[in-house]
Amino acid sequence: MSRVGAPETVFALSTGAGRAALAVIRLSGPDVELALTRLGLKYLPPPRMAALRKLYDPISGALLDEALVFRFVAPHSFTGEDMAELHVHGGLAVTQSILAALASLDICSPAEAGDFTRRAVLHGKMDLTGAEAIADLIDAEGGAQQAQALRQMNGSLRQVMEGWREALKTTLAHVEADIEFADEDLPGGLGQRALEGVPEIATAMEKHLQDRRGVALRDGLRVALLGAPNAGKSSILNMLAGKDAAIVSARAGTTRDVIEVAMVLDGVPVTLVDTAGLREAGDDIEREGVRRAKVQAEAADIRLLVLSPDTQSPRLKGASLEDADLLICNKADLGPVPEAELRTLGEIKALSLSATAGDGEAVLLEALQELVNERAGAKEAPILTRERHREALEEACIALQRALEIADTGLELAAEDLRLAQRALGRITGAVDIEQLLDIVFADFCIGK
Amino acid sequence: MHEKNWDVIIIGGGHAGCEAAAAAARFGARTLLVTHKLETIGEMSCNPAIGGVGKGHLVREIDALDGLMGRVADQAGIQFRLLNRRKGPAVHGPRTQADRKLYREAMRAAIEQTENLSLLGQPVDDVLVEDGRACGVITEDGQTHRGAAVVLTTGTFLDGIIHIGTERVPAGRHGEAPAITLSKRLYGLAEKTGALTMGRMKTGTPARLDGCTIATEKLEAQPADEEPVPFSFLTEKIIVPQTVCYITHTNQATFDIIEENILQSPVYSGQIAGVGPRYCPAIEDKVARFPDRKSHQIFLEPEGLDDPTVYPNGISTSLPAELQDRFIRTIVGLENVKIIRPGYAIEYDYVDPKALLPSLELKALPGLYLAGQINGTTGYEEAAGQGLVAGLNAARAAAGQDAVYFDRAEAYLGVMIDDLVTKGVSEPYRMFTARAEYRLTLRADNADQRLTEKGIAAGIVGPKRAKAFRAKMAELTQARTKAASWTMTPNEAGTKGMHIRADGTRRTMTELLAYPSIDWMDLQAVWPEMGEWSRDIRNQIETDALYAGYLDRQQADIDAFRRDEALSLPTDMDYLALEGMATEVRQKLAAARPVTLGQAARMDGMTPAALTLLLHHARKNQRSVAKSAEK
């Protein structure tokens, strides 16, 4: 085995590929200063100060570009390592030649995807939730998503989780003290009393678990258009999307597959899904279309049921039509949808419009926005933004509830469940180890004979 | 000078040394135990007690591997108490006060009755090293004793210094000379080979009191359990007479004297640099750290049935003797007490246990094994457990056999040794049940079920225990099979007066027993055979029922843990050359040389990325091992 490992200093083009006025190349690692020197910088700029410098090819000595150079000294940088940013001209030739020059140095190598953030986590500059937030921020498509990612980056999730973690740590430490120091002069019923704070934590967790808006906002919402063949679902989709995304024709059963259109409503990314008309007939292809429509209906966050005076509302099992969030009575120019049709669908909010006439678009958008806000709106900030968080928290919450139930049977069983809860939370925030528990025990109680 | 050849040489006759010697000898190794003074073999230097929560678990494990401590404590125990009796069986802590003389005598007898084991009363000055291997010892009289493996158990003797006030006395224990030459030799070895890092630890002990001068009539007595629970799986009944301890407390007057004079304590005057254990604080520490607490509990523990010496547990101190006398006399019951000898703090050398393999052999000096306080631990039980593992592995190595490891999922021995060699120590290490991830599985009651079979395979369990164990297991297996085959529907249960949810599901006897509303006698009325089972078997079935769901879940965790432990890392891996890993992590791995992927994962500062890379190498290693096995 050779002793030469991959260089620890990495570099990458941090702005998008293609022609632009500027491009930024970042470097991170112990040899950043050396790399800059090799690119011909005789004088390194002072940390955090912009300086105009000429960059030269380390081999041929050719001038590559004139760049604005920033330097950051460990640990005061994004990654916690020495870093530099080269703000160069954004042409393809310029960026490629500088990247090639860096690659030719044996002291640095191209960064892998996520390398900079990973280094930041490794050096304790951010925790896992912070790193996730950065990924979310970069991926954010709408303003609400952006705001949520920024909140998480600034610790909204971490703070709540840390609060629970700290509270559980003390609880568990006191329960463990009760178990471990049976012949010591400890307050009576120490373990049982420590558990008194647990219901409050479990309730707070439940509250956050019930709030699904964070995950919905991060993942975006799916809105399904459902209805009988030829009710005008595709026309409505086209009206909302403002373009001909779905083939619209008067023949029933045209939309045999599922057609999606992405849009942003109030900062929330929304995917509108057009589906095949729901009916028990047609050829094999249409039957497949119907099956897919049902799947879409199940998976959707918001279901719009489209009715029209000239079609029968679909009566199919498994399409959850009763769960529709909004009834759209299309083709209002042809007359009202029969009362009998509406009655079977009970209390669902309904509105009338005519998609082909382009009438009622504003009303529909407003109703849809209301529904989107309800599901993913972020007036009061939700904190659980990933399914991973939800699962871990759910596990922790169940373990806490069990700990309370079992505490009378055996304190060691309650401790076991507290440990499980702690471990589940640790998957979001990082683990608690035994030494931390012992620190609490010895700080809180005079132990030892 | 003539030389004699041994398989294994044990240095030290304390709790680690005795178990090491006996384990090596049980394995069949020609074993020599060398200690500076034969009279103090099995001495309890500090408190006269064995066991407790966590510690009692260790004693049961030592016993399950046919070690001595449990049997000896059963012959010397004068106040047996099962701690945590009101909590579940996983945290029951068997404990006893021990008569120091009875303990010493029983230990000496057990050692002398062990075949293949010889004793030599000589201080050891040096460990013989040839070709990078430890191969014997040189005693103070200049004699060389050769052995294929050496186990070093120095306790507090390695350059030991006793502190009482400003007084400093070189000593390994009250009235006994320290091992200074050996300490110098180890420091030399550390410097020359880089095989070990040395440091200083401290511990302390209280004054000893004359029990005849204690006004016990003023004090609360704590009796022994009515039915003493023995340590050893082989002990049927405790026949030593049982006695009481007395309880008293420090008070404001005690507090004031100590607080006023705290700077006369060597710990606070800066005279002692060594790190002491947080759970055995001196009374000075209690006063300094908890200034609001004026009263601390003291157990007055008899050191023997026919010995008036009393050990006042809770007031360990290194204040000057005159001050000890003053503050002790402020305590209720001790107003006129006569102090037999003052308490003291003791500083001694230890070796950073990260230098050890899980077999307790030094990585960089094959043939030399360390056990007990030299590894930075505290406590008789911790020392004895390490002694057993070191003695076993020294003997196996001498016989050319592979080391036997205990993992975190099968024994507290495994938890302790893994903690030591993986994480090292920052203060004297004591066993706690909270250190075990699989606490519900690692119980004192099932130590034999966990370990005796492994001990038989490893070659350190004698025929008597093996036979008794197999008989018990046959009985237990039969009972468990029956308990799982006897079933009832909720309706049937209802007719017998046991009310459970009517969901039509048949439940086994064990499942029914798990209901808080159903007790043993309810079920015995249905299945009378249950009445014929022994107490031991009944306890096991009850525990099975109580922990059922939890043990299943824990087993799933254990399976996952074992998958990582099964991935062994190449012993000759060039960690510094691993690509794509931070230098710091590479250096840590190179220094630690973890044995398995699981051990690597438990190291401080290990990252998921680094583990993924290691996993890759572990898999490659596994494949090449499999391939060479095929050849």
Side-chain angles (χ1 to χ4, degrees):
Chain A
M1 220 182 265
S2 86
R3 288 187 66 90
V4 185
E8 268 179 74
T9 302
V10 294
F11 62 89
L13 180 65
S14 298
T15 44
R19 233 175 70 105
L22 277 179
V24 178
I25 293 167
R26 279 199 299 183
L27 293 89
S28 180
D31 291 324
V32 163
E33 288 186 12
L34 192 56
L36 293 178
T37 310
R38 298 264 192 98
L39 286 181
L41 269 73
K42 281 200 194 109
Y43 307 104
L44 294 176
R48 295 167 174 270
M49 302 281 274
L52 195 63
R53 292 285 188 272
K54 288 190 169 105
L55 305 180
Y56 297 94
D57 188 299
I59 295 165
S60 68
L63 179 65
L64 299 174
D65 193 13
E66 211 167 354
L68 208 53
V69 178
F70 287 89
R71 206 158 63 82
F72 303 90
V73 177
H76 306 292
S77 72
F78 171 72
T79 58
E81 301 175 327
D82 280 351
M83 283 189 79
E85 283 181 15
L86 311 176
H87 294 231
V88 301
H89 292 103
L92 200 63
V94 173
T95 52
Q96 287 310 314
S97 67
I98 296 170
L99 290 172
L102 283 167
S104 74
L105 301 174
D106 56 6
I107 48 167
C108 54
S109 58
E112 288 165 33
D115 220 346
F116 290 90
T117 309
R118 201 180 70 225
R119 283 161 188 249
V121 173
L122 289 186
H123 291 101
K125 300 297 280 189
M126 66 174 76
D127 70 352
L128 201 51
T129 64
E132 285 173 350
I134 290 200
D136 287 352
L137 187 61
I138 292 167
D139 290 340
E141 288 166 7
Q145 274 190 326
Q146 181 188 2
Q148 171 162 299
L150 279 169
R151 275 197 305 272
Q152 182 171 332
M153 198 165 78
N154 289 323
S156 65
L157 172 61
R158 197 186 64 233
Q159 279 161 18
V160 175
M161 291 283 172
E162 286 289 314
W164 290 334
R165 186 173 108 127
E166 289 304 307
L168 283 184
K169 207 160 84 176
T170 306
T171 305
L172 183 56
H174 288 196
V175 169
E176 294 289 8
D178 192 333
I179 290 171
E180 220 65 64
F181 302 101
D183 53 346
E184 294 274 353
D185 194 11
L186 289 174
L190 176 64
Q192 299 290 345
R193 264 197 288 144
L195 287 168
E196 283 170 10
V198 172
E200 198 185 322
I201 301 173
T203 309
M205 285 181 174
E206 268 179 348
K207 205 182 114 216
H208 282 286
L209 279 170
Q210 278 156 13
D211 186 350
R212 293 192 153 269
R213 292 174 306 159
V215 178
L217 175 55
R218 180 179 176 276
D219 296 346
L221 293 177
R222 291 184 75 77
V223 178
L225 285 158
L226 305 166
N230 207 25
K233 299 179 292 298
S234 301
S235 308
I236 289 172
L237 177 87
N238 288 341
M239 179 177 83
L240 285 172
K243 59 182 178 189
D244 284 340
I247 319 145
V248 186
S249 78
R251 209 184 117 219
T254 313
T255 307
R256 284 176 175 171
D257 205 336
V258 172
I259 289 170
E260 298 188 359
V261 171
M263 57 197 292
V264 176
L265 283 179
D266 265 5
V268 180
V270 169
T271 305
L272 276 178
V273 188
D274 186 14
T275 61
L278 299 169
R279 65 173 178 186
E280 302 279 14
D283 53 22
D284 284 353
I285 299 171
E286 196 186 337
R287 260 203 297 283
E288 176 58 19
V290 171
R291 192 192 66 77
R292 291 189 192 183
K294 286 188 200 168
V295 171
Q296 287 298 333
E298 289 297 328
D301 299 291
I302 295 172
R303 281 170 280 265
L304 308 181
L305 180 55
V306 182
L307 306 171
S308 71
D310 58 340
T311 60
Q312 287 246 309
S313 73
R315 300 193 201 292
L316 290 178
K317 279 181 203 162
S320 318
L321 295 180
E322 299 77 12
D323 297 343
D325 298 287
L326 183 67
L327 299 182
I328 302 171
C329 302
N330 194 20
K331 306 186 190 174
D333 46 333
L334 299 183
V337 172
E339 274 293 313
E341 289 282 330
L342 291 177
R343 211 176 303 125
T344 58
L345 291 165
E347 298 292 301
I348 307 168
K349 182 180 172 183
L351 52 91
S352 300
L353 53 82
S354 171
T356 46
D359 159 42
E361 186 182 345
V363 184
L364 176 57
L365 263 181
E366 195 186 317
L368 194 52
Q369 268 172 8
E370 203 173 293
L371 286 168
V372 165
N373 267 327
E374 208 173 277
R375 301 292 198 282
K379 286 192 196 76
E380 190 193 330
I383 57 149
L384 299 175
T385 56
R386 290 184 182 227
E387 208 46 50
R388 187 178 78 80
H389 304 154
R390 292 189 59 82
E391 278 163 17
L393 195 58
E394 207 152 38
E395 195 180 316
C397 195
I398 290 170
L400 289 185
Q401 280 153 352
R402 211 170 36 216
L404 292 170
E405 284 165 26
I406 203 87
D408 290 337
T409 313
L411 199 56
E412 77 282 9
L413 292 174
E416 185 71 14
D417 279 316
L418 287 174
R419 287 172 172 210
L420 288 173
Q422 186 84 262
R423 197 172 71 179
L425 276 190
R427 293 209 302 269
I428 309 178
T429 57
V432 170
D433 74 9
I434 172 71
E435 290 306 321
Q436 290 173 293
L437 293 183
L438 290 176
D439 286 346
I440 296 177
V441 172
F442 293 117
D444 286 1
F445 305 107
C446 184
I447 300 262
K449 302 200 296 191
Chain B
M1 295 281 152
H2 74 282
E3 291 185 358
K4 226 176 151 181
N5 283 324
W6 302 91
D7 291 324
V8 178
I9 299 175
I10 315 291
I11 306 170
H15 305 283
C18 286
E19 291 297 347
R26 285 201 303 283
F27 181 81
R30 288 165 305 144
T31 307
L32 175 69
L33 188 158
V34 198
T35 180
H36 68 295
K37 203 165 152 194
L38 294 178
E39 296 74 47
T40 52
I41 283 179
E43 181 72 283
M44 299 192 176
S45 312
C46 198
N47 65 321
I50 296 284
V53 182
K55 288 168 174 279
H57 290 72
L58 282 172
V59 180
R60 283 284 174 82
E61 291 183 358
I62 292 164
D63 187 68
L65 294 165
D66 217 5
L68 307 179
M69 183 170 252
R71 284 181 269 169
V72 169
D74 285 343
Q75 293 170 60
I78 53 176
Q79 193 222 22
F80 276 88
R81 283 176 61 228
L82 183 66
L83 303 182
N84 274 339
R85 203 179 266 279
R86 264 176 284 174
K87 301 185 183 98
V91 294
H92 285 176
R95 183 185 192 275
T96 188
Q97 293 301 139
D99 180 309
R100 294 205 319 148
K101 184 166 67 104
L102 286 181
Y103 193 91
R104 214 166 43 228
E105 287 170 358
M107 183 56 84
R108 180 72 184 266
I111 289 282
E112 282 178 349
Q113 284 158 17
T114 304
E115 275 178 56
N116 309 320
L117 178 53
S118 303
L119 298 178
L120 175 66
Q122 270 289 323
V124 170
D125 275 356
D126 203 351
V127 174
L128 207 59
V129 178
E130 280 170 16
D131 303 326
R133 277 195 70 88
C135 55
V137 304
I138 300 168
T139 42
E140 198 182 59
D141 58 7
Q143 280 220 30
T144 296
H145 308 266
R146 291 192 164 269
V150 176
V151 182
L152 190 53
T153 69
T154 52
T156 57
F157 278 73
L158 216 48
D159 197 14
I161 296 177
I162 281 180
H163 299 256
I164 306 176
T166 49
E167 217 182 309
R168 295 159 57 100
V169 188
R173 158 165 80 206
H174 171 73
E176 292 181 45
I180 291 174
T181 322
L182 188 56
S183 164
K184 284 193 182 128
R185 174 64 181 158
L186 284 179
Y187 270 100
L189 210 60
E191 214 164 286
K192 209 171 89 192
T193 63
L196 31 107
T197 312
M198 311 275 297
R200 297 287 274 175
M201 290 272 187
K202 77 138 232 219
T203 186
T205 197
R208 302 301 195 274
L209 313 178
D210 179 355
C212 306
T213 59
I214 296 174
T216 51
E217 68 280 359
K218 291 184 185 173
L219 303 174
E220 178 196 342
Q222 181 195 52
D225 284 348
E226 266 172 38
E227 274 181 63
V229 178
F231 284 104
S232 177
F233 290 101
L234 295 182
T235 304
E236 283 184 12
K237 201 167 165 39
I238 299 297
I239 49 174
V240 188
Q242 298 294 291
T243 183
V244 296
C245 288
Y246 290 95
I247 298 172
T248 183
H249 295 87
T250 62
N251 52 49
Q252 182 74 50
T254 328
F255 182 93
D256 292 342
I257 293 176
I258 294 165
E259 198 194 27
E260 270 165 41
N261 296 288
I262 201 146
L263 288 177
Q264 297 199 47
S265 167
V267 180
Y268 288 87
S269 67
Q271 187 177 316
I272 295 183
V275 186
R278 283 181 293 182
Y279 25 80
C280 298
I283 186 71
E284 296 96 287
D285 294 325
K286 297 184 186 180
V287 165
R289 292 185 45 221
F290 295 92
D292 295 338
R293 203 154 160 201
K294 309 298 178 195
S295 174
H296 297 276
Q297 184 173 266
I298 302 168
F299 284 90
L300 298 173
E301 305 174 348
E303 293 211 340
L305 291 174
D306 55 3
D307 179 348
T309 311
V310 164
Y311 179 98
N313 200 338
I315 49 169
S316 164
T317 181
S318 53
L319 284 166
E322 169 269 326
L323 280 170
Q324 293 190 26
D325 201 77
R326 261 179 67 203
F327 88 70
I328 288 173
R329 282 163 184 268
T330 61
I331 296 164
V332 176
L334 306 181
E335 295 86 349
N336 297 308
V337 80
K338 197 177 133 233
I339 291 181
I340 295 174
R341 64 176 168 82
Y344 60 79
I346 181 163
E347 264 192 299
Y348 54 94
D349 291 337
Y350 80 101
V351 173
D352 175 2
K354 283 190 287 194
L356 301 167
L357 288 166
S359 61
L360 296 183
E361 185 178 25
L362 272 172
K363 290 173 200 169
L365 185 56
L368 185 58
Y369 295 74
L370 309 183
Q373 277 167 302
I374 192 170
N375 291 338
T377 62
T378 171
Y380 308 148
E381 303 81 357
E382 288 83 351
Q386 293 168 65
L388 184 143
V389 173
L392 162 65
N393 283 321
R396 289 182 64 92
Q401 296 192 25
D402 288 342
V404 170
Y405 300 137
F406 296 91
D407 76 27
R408 301 184 75 89
E410 69 190 340
Y412 276 93
L413 289 172
V415 173
M416 170 173 66
I417 291 172
D418 184 61
D419 281 346
L420 293 175
V421 306
T422 307
K423 296 187 179 138
V425 291
S426 53
E427 65 176 329
Y429 178 99
R430 174 184 156 173
M431 197 68 247
F432 293 117
T433 65
R435 295 192 193 275
E437 291 83 354
Y438 315 109
R439 176 161 63 190
L440 301 182
T441 308
L442 306 186
R443 306 189 304 271
D445 65 76
N446 68 0
D448 55 343
Q449 296 171 54
R450 290 185 279 120
L451 295 173
T452 301
E453 200 65 64
K454 183 163 180 161
I456 293 170
I460 49 164
V461 171
K464 185 180 166 204
R465 183 178 303 265
K467 194 173 160 221
F469 171 71
R470 298 228 156 103
K472 174 183 164 182
M473 283 314 286
E475 201 186 337
L476 183 57
T477 309
Q478 201 187 16
R480 279 184 173 146
T481 312
K482 286 201 169 135
S485 68
W486 292 334
T487 60
M488 254 195 300
T489 63
N491 275 342
E492 287 164 357
T495 62
K496 310 277 183 190
M498 294 175 268
H499 300 287
I500 53 177
R501 195 155 58 89
D503 55 5
T505 312
R506 296 193 81 85
R507 288 180 177 79
T508 66
M509 179 227 128
T510 323
E511 283 164 351
L512 291 166
L513 189 57
Y515 283 85
S517 60
I518 297 176
D519 73 18
W520 187 272
M521 295 316 286
D522 294 333
L523 295 168
Q524 192 176 313
V526 184
W527 296 292
E529 207 181 319
M530 287 166 62
E532 295 162 23
W533 293 345
S534 69
R535 182 78 230 169
D536 218 16
I537 299 295
R538 174 174 165 171
N539 286 347
Q540 286 302 310
I541 300 288
E542 280 175 337
T543 304
D544 289 350
L546 177 67
Y547 285 167
Y550 285 85
L551 288 177
D552 288 347
R553 190 168 42 228
Q554 202 148 80
Q555 191 56 48
D557 287 348
I558 289 174
D559 293 343
F561 160 79
R562 288 253 163 84
R563 279 194 292 276
D564 282 354
E565 290 302 298
L567 286 165
S568 56
L569 297 170
T571 47
D572 57 350
M573 178 127 82
D574 186 357
Y575 286 103
L576 294 175
L578 283 182
E579 295 189 6
M581 201 183 277
T583 312
E584 195 194 332
V585 177
R586 278 185 284 177
Q587 283 166 347
K588 264 189 185 161
L589 284 167
R593 314 210 65 81
V595 178
T596 65
L597 186 74
Q599 195 192 345
R602 291 188 294 276
M603 285 169 51
D604 285 337
M606 196 43 65
T607 63
L611 280 176
T612 313
L613 199 67
L614 275 183
L615 178 67
H616 171 73
H617 283 281
R619 291 244 164 87
K620 236 170 40 188
N621 183 51
Q622 216 174 31
R623 275 197 296 274
S624 66
V625 168
K627 240 180 239 166
S628 60
E630 278 165 31
K631 284 171 198 165

